[in-house]
Amino acid sequence: MSRYFNQRFSTLIPYVPGEQPQDIQYIKLNTNESPFPPSPGVLKAVSSEVDKLQLYSDPTCRQLAEKLAELYGVKPSQVILTNGSDEALYFAFLAFADKDKPLVFPEITYGFYSVFADLCGIPYKTVCLQDDYTILPSDFIPQDGARQTVVIANPNAPTGLCLTLSEIESILQANQENLVIVDEAYIDFGGESAVSLIERYDNLLVTQTFSKSRSMAGARLGFAIGNEALISDMHTIRYSTNPYNVNRMTLSAGYAALVENEYYMSNCKEIVRVRDNTKKSLENRGFDVLSSSTNFLFARSNEICGEELYSKLKEKGILVRHFNKERIKDFIRVTIGTEEQMNCFLSAIDSILGKEGN
Ligand SMILES: *Cc1c(COP(=O)(O)O)cnc(C)c1O
């Protein structure tokens, strides 16, 4: 730490992203990327922008906002584009949470929530998951009418479990004075989107991303949908930090991806099919696997601890994610790749557990 670093950040513990090794070729099942490349139109769209890189991108993101609005059945003024959905979450925390409206989120969830909260100096409270790792919606009812800002990943990560739309609605109803942010990074793999509720609940903000279901993690594109006033506040924060937050190539790629949306939705179906087969295969090998509405599985073996399994898989060239957190330390989180990749993963498991030839 330099002697110039602000005191208020001296205890900040930054988010640790999943490994992105640049040395050997791993089968990468650790950061929930899509195993499928972007569609052909995206490649063309990106190259068509390269000779215009001397020009700033459109700060209003008009074309893409209109296209998204059309696809999701909302108005362009109810959409904001961001540099990954991480940025949408960051803008929302800055815009809407504060000391008198602290953040509330599940104890086991996306690690960035607590990091952003600390960065912004916003206090937060965590809500315990049930024994089966589910979220109990009534835990988000504010105590004695206290103000709070709710954040829920639905489906949740890294558990993969999701709440029903009516459970989300019960949280919205109990929090009419409070903003409820629903992070739908994985919604295209299962669960029902809360976007359909934005006209009825002005306290709802939904965030989504092109990183997982639309094969664009490296392009950094996310968005939030909510009522016009909320989105307008988010734009105030955006124009006050980084008006050109989405670059020219990504804007163009995002538009092309929506034109070819069918391709991505059929990839999602394939991932769901492979996910469900992989879950059965792991269960046949004695694993306890949480029910998944996402593009990953959260699984534990009673024969080997999570950290050891992670290391042994890595030695075999397969990267998965392990979280060093007491309640989930027995688990590994495995991104669903292609059928072929998952077969390699299962063979590696067999060899690690000494079950070859079964
Ligand atoms: C991956 C992920 C995000 C954000 O990813 P971006 O690449 O920034 O869009 C947000 N929330 C959850 C729960 C995620 O897993």
Side-chain angles (χ1 to χ4, degrees), residues 83-86 89 110 113 153 157 183 185-186 209 211-212 220-222:
N83 192 310
S85 58
D86 286 343
L89 293 165
Y110 189 38
Y113 303 155
D183 174 352
Y186 298 102
T209 177
S211 294
K212 278 81 187 225
R220 313 304 304 128
L221 184 61

Side-chain angles (χ1 to χ4, degrees), residues 284-287 301 303 349-358:
N284 289 338
R285 287 159 171 83
F287 277 78
S301 160
E303 295 175 49
I349 292 277
D350 285 340
S351 133
I352 290 163
L353 298 183
K355 288 188 182 165
E356 282 134 310
N358 282 13

